[in-house]
Amino acid sequence: MTYSLAIHGGAGTILKSNMTAEKEAIYHAGLACAIAAGQAVLRDGGSAMDAVVASVCALEDDPLFNAGRGAVFTSDGKQEMDAAVMDGSDRRAGSVAGIFGPKNPVRLARAVMDRTAHVTLIGPNALTQAKDAGLPFADPDYFFTQSRWDALQETLDMRARGEVSDDSARRHGTVGAVARDLHGNLAAATSTGGMTAKAPGRVGDTPMIGAGTFADNDTCAVSGTGHGEVFIRWTAASEIAARMRHGGETLRQAADHVVMNDLGQNDGSGGVIAVDRAGNIAMPFNCEGMYRGAVRQGSAPEIRIY
Ligand code: ASP
């Protein structure tokens, strides 16, 4: 048995022409740090679940990515975060939606899975669970980034002028990780601030098990990023597993079909990272770029944007 790990930091209109070498290096460093965090767990024989949470925490802590610190703003200038985890060994899952306060929403999703009899929590009791679990909270200043605030103002201005932004980079961003550990178990974790200028109370695909997050040892673990409403309507993550289970497709065939056909032909720009029970990794996306990285035991990590 060998380990495999893949991570993403969001997909969208990531144009090479808008990217400087300096900016690219900063993204690479952020992704490398997240890979290293998960890989350290897997290398020591730790669980896929611990690994994906470690990788996602690193991305949540990095203000470059739209999750935790650096989350985007709702149309009324607030930050509402969604996160989920799923364990492929027994299909236990936990998720939270619309929360603000815990530094690492993914750890709260994990606490919901580990400490409650439920899968999804929202509202004040989600925060109570975070406190009971001893998870750290942070002030609004910690989560604020000027670039996300500016993106909100630009989006609201465009809306006021009746223009629709076709810049999915403005809408998108999410972080996630999938892993297979040395024991053959799979896990997935996803965390996001959602979409810029989303309506207050809007919940995306990330915390919906089967849409943006899914894991099952018999097939695969998947974490998605992109136009959440479409991922929900096509149950994107579990559809990949279903195509493998019922249609006998390989991970690559199933993931490509869902991303290119189901999502790509229905205004569902975005991508997924996925790992199967044999440790194969697929990372298809149907837009210009997806911040992503992967490592398999015995090989060097690979990090890519385009
Ligand atoms: N899927 C996320 C959402 O809809 C956003 C993204 O990944 O870009 O909330």
Side-chain angles (χ1 to χ4, degrees):
M1 233 10 126
T2 54
Y3 67 74
S4 301
L5 170 72
I7 61 161
H8 70 77
T13 312
I14 307 166
L15 296 176
K16 229 184 165 123
S17 48
N18 292 342
M19 190 65 94
T20 61
E22 201 182 20
K23 223 163 132 190
E24 205 167 316
I26 297 174
Y27 275 104
H28 269 257
L31 294 166
C33 168
I35 288 268
Q39 189 179 10
V41 174
L42 294 170
R43 195 192 289 126
D44 289 349
S47 70
M49 176 55 67
D50 285 342
V52 293
V53 170
S55 285
V56 168
C57 281
L59 293 163
E60 286 178 336
D61 292 345
D62 188 332
L64 274 185
F65 302 103
N66 171 20
R69 187 176 194 193
V72 300
F73 291 90
T74 62
S75 59
D76 64 354
K78 307 254 168 54
Q79 288 163 302
E80 297 180 359
M81 302 175 201
D82 300 339
V85 296
M86 187 161 183
D87 190 329
S89 66
D90 51 10
R91 287 203 186 205
R92 284 186 316 135
S95 75
V96 287
I99 61 151
F100 180 80
K103 260 180 104 172
N104 294 107
V106 73
R107 292 182 66 195
L108 179 51
R110 173 93 188 255
V112 170
M113 179 180 83
D114 286 343
R115 299 166 59 95
T116 79
H118 308 300
V119 170
T120 305
L121 284 184
I122 62 164
N125 191 41
L127 299 183
T128 303
Q129 289 296 331
K131 286 182 191 131
D132 290 351
L135 300 180
F137 280 61
D139 295 332
D141 282 358
Y142 169 83
F143 293 105
F144 180 91
T145 51
Q146 192 62 46
S147 60
R148 301 294 189 198
W149 184 255
D150 293 346
L152 172 65
Q153 305 314 319
E154 284 161 28
T155 306
L156 294 178
D157 286 350
M158 287 179 77
R159 266 189 201 168
R161 292 195 300 268
E163 293 168 22
V164 179
S165 167
D166 60 354
D167 178 0
S168 49
R170 191 188 293 287
R171 306 189 301 191
H172 281 183
T174 280
V175 308
V178 294
R180 182 182 81 151
D181 62 30
L182 292 176
H183 316 284
N185 290 319
L186 305 183
T190 317
S191 179
T192 190
M195 293 164 86
T196 298
K198 67 183 180 181
R202 176 261 188 187
V203 176
D205 57 310
T206 296
M208 294 196 188
I209 301 304
T213 308
F214 188 75
D216 175 26
N217 274 10
D218 286 345
T219 50
C220 60
V222 181
S223 171
T225 173
H227 191 169
E229 280 69 10
V230 185
F231 277 66
I232 294 169
R233 288 162 52 216
W234 264 261
T235 54
S238 61
E239 179 68 12
I240 294 172
R243 294 186 75 91
M244 294 173 72
R245 179 189 297 273
H246 304 297
E249 292 187 359
T250 64
L251 179 75
R252 178 166 301 277
Q253 287 168 335
D256 280 354
H257 183 93
V258 168
V259 169
M260 302 304 169
N261 296 31
D262 295 353
L263 300 174
Q265 291 172 13
N266 292 290
D267 191 31
S269 96
V272 303
I273 53 169
V275 62
D276 69 11
R277 54 191 288 187
N280 297 305
I281 290 172
M283 302 194 280
F285 54 97
N286 60 28
C287 42
E288 285 79 359
M290 179 166 80
Y291 299 107
R292 63 199 186 281
V295 67
R296 296 181 67 173
Q297 191 169 346
S299 350
E302 279 183 44
I303 290 167
R304 296 202 199 296
I305 300 178
Y306 310 102

